[in-house]
Amino acid sequence: MASLHQFLSFFFLSIFIIKGNSLSKSPPTSFSCGDDVDFAYPFWQRSQKTEHFGYPSLGVSCINKMSTIQLDNHLYRVKNVNNTMKSLVVSFYKLGDAICPVAPHDVSINASTSFLSYANNVKLIHFFYNCTVYPSGVEPIKCLQVGAKHSYVFLDGLVPKFDWKTNCESLVTIPMNIENSITTNIGKAMKEGFELNWSSNVECASCEASGGLCIYDNEQTFYCSCGKGGHYANCREQGLVSSNYFKLGLLSIGLVICCVAIAITILYIVKRRKDGIYKQGFNRLPMSGK
Ligand SMILES: *[C@@H]1O[C@H](CO)[C@@H](O)[C@H](O)[C@H]1NC(C)=O
Ligand SMILES: *[C@@H]1O[C@H](CO)[C@@H](O)[C@H](O)[C@H]1NC(C)=O
Ligand SMILES: *[C@@H]1O[C@H](CO)[C@@H](O)[C@H](O)[C@H]1NC(C)=O
Ligand SMILES: *[C@@H]1O[C@H](CO)[C@@H](O)[C@H](O)[C@H]1NC(C)=O
């Protein structure tokens, strides 16, 4: 009987492993890193290795309980999310001096690949750092002055004509929410970050419009989930996605193994009960023969 036990546990373990590898039928209703930002679909946790519900660019990594997101190979801190407005507010992950910070790098959001775009309350601003020659009549950023090196900031479209490229050490362009002013407190504005809107692409929008949720894998291949497990193009046609036959195969194998295991269990129980009844009957025999 020990061998039958081993046999059964092996099969149940295999089923568990097959099940454990597959994606659950629905995404978590919400998750958080432990700060006060709550995420839900289309956000997902980057710790998921193979497939995930949610848009590729909205993968969240928790770093020391801080919600972060990766855009264009740079890490940003997520400060706020509004699923109704499909918007999020992000800021630079690392900003040195809070009073007079330097923009660490350009922010470039590629709307065509990231599903993200600037919200309409965002404006671009241009920094010109450590200029050794400067145009007359423009105010430098006082707190960034180092000897004869001056730094400047201008709203997009309001940059004075000047050869900034030749005369300054670095040029950085970043977005900023328009509620903030570049003349009063640029440090505060940078700390507050900027707002982005997310949207889905055509195939994902079609999936969502049919009542499904979008799934992507590491290669950013798209599938539609219709809440029953399985992968579809969308939930109206319910056609299984062909490239997924392999997983369907695994599922079938799992089902077959499951059936066999159940059959064996039933046989085993029936056999034990038969043995038991036989023994009981035998024990009772002398008494009933009174
Ligand atoms: C989302 O934005 C709307 C409109 O600004 C606001 O009414 C709502 O409270 C916001 N929700 C969250 C969770 O911030
Ligand atoms: C955005 O990504 C597309 C596709 O990879 C590329 O062709 C395009 O040049 C990118 N745009 C910018 C502004 O980087
Ligand atoms: C400007 O120059 C100073 C002094 O050389 C340097 O410490 C600082 O990092 C520079 N800032 C930028 C933004 O390049
Ligand atoms: C983008 O976000 C802003 C600010 O929350 C909101 O007013 C706007 O409706 C959003 N746009 C889209 C296309 O969702």
Side-chain angles (χ1 to χ4, degrees):
M1 275 306 125
S3 64
L4 184 57
H5 274 135
Q6 278 165 4
F7 180 71
L8 286 179
S9 36
F10 168 75
F11 271 122
F12 281 122
L13 195 67
S14 329
I15 290 162
F16 182 73
I17 288 166
I18 288 170
K19 265 197 80 171
N21 265 343
S22 67
L23 191 67
S24 64
K25 284 178 186 168
S26 56
T29 46
S30 80
F31 64 92
S32 110
C33 288
D35 50 13
D36 52 9
V37 188
D38 285 319
F39 297 96
Y41 175 91
F43 289 88
W44 52 282
Q45 276 177 298
R46 252 185 208 285
S47 50
Q48 287 162 272
K49 289 280 187 298
T50 47
E51 286 185 340
H52 61 82
F53 284 95
Y55 304 167
S57 51
L58 297 183
V60 174
S61 303
C62 298
I63 302 177
N64 299 326
K65 294 193 173 176
M66 191 197 282
S67 309
T68 70
I69 199 168
Q70 210 171 326
L71 304 173
D72 191 38
N73 291 322
H74 287 291
L75 209 55
Y76 293 85
R77 181 178 185 165
V78 183
K79 308 194 73 175
N80 190 28
V81 166
N82 191 322
N83 272 60
T84 323
M85 306 303 284
K86 297 189 172 180
S87 72
L88 72 158
V89 177
V90 302
S91 65
F92 289 109
Y93 177 64
K94 277 203 174 122
L95 261 193
D97 179 3
I99 296 161
C100 205
V102 169
H105 51 79
D106 282 309
V107 177
S108 52
I109 305 295
N110 191 334
S112 66
T113 54
S114 69
F115 297 29
L116 289 165
S117 57
Y118 295 126
N120 36 21
N121 62 346
V122 164
K123 263 209 148 133
L124 293 181
I125 56 174
H126 302 278
F127 286 101
F128 304 97
Y129 290 116
N130 284 350
C131 310
T132 45
V133 177
Y134 13 88
S136 58
V138 289
E139 193 70 11
I141 305 171
K142 285 205 177 62
C143 63
L144 284 179
Q145 204 162 321
V146 185
K149 290 178 175 177
H150 289 188
S151 297
Y152 298 87
V153 61
F154 303 103
L155 278 174
D156 195 40
L158 296 176
V159 182
K161 279 221 157 23
F162 183 69
D163 190 359
W164 299 103
K165 231 178 192 146
T166 314
N167 296 311
C168 308
E169 266 175 28
S170 60
L171 285 57
V172 178
T173 300
I174 68 163
M176 187 182 82
N177 283 359
I178 50 173
E179 298 87 67
N180 292 301
S181 160
I182 59 167
T183 52
T184 50
N185 196 340
I186 192 68
K188 179 173 160 279
M190 279 169 64
K191 270 175 77 181
E192 279 177 10
F194 54 92
E195 188 159 2
L196 296 164
N197 284 115
W198 70 81
S199 58
S200 48
N201 61 8
V202 175
E203 54 185 6
C204 175
S206 150
C207 163
E208 287 176 348
S210 70
L213 297 175
C214 306
I215 298 176
Y216 287 86
D217 64 15
N218 284 343
E219 278 75 48
Q220 306 212 348
T221 310
F222 159 84
Y223 305 105
C224 189
S225 162
C226 302
K228 314 167 197 163
H231 295 62
Y232 303 87
N234 68 57
C235 302
R236 234 173 286 109
E237 284 136 37
Q238 297 273 321
L240 272 174
V241 175
S242 57
S243 62
N244 225 46
Y245 279 168
F246 174 67
K247 279 170 195 150
L248 197 67
L250 266 187
L251 195 71
S252 322
I253 292 170
L255 276 176
V256 168
I257 290 171
C258 189
C259 291
V260 168
I262 287 171
I264 289 171
T265 312
I266 290 172
L267 280 176
Y268 178 58
I269 290 169
V270 167
K271 188 175 183 301
R272 272 188 64 157
R273 281 184 63 177
K274 261 190 175 166
D275 286 354
I277 287 164
Y278 182 70
K279 272 182 201 146
Q280 269 176 24
F282 190 78
N283 287 345
R284 249 187 261 126
L285 263 180
M287 277 148 68
S288 61
K290 221 197 239 178

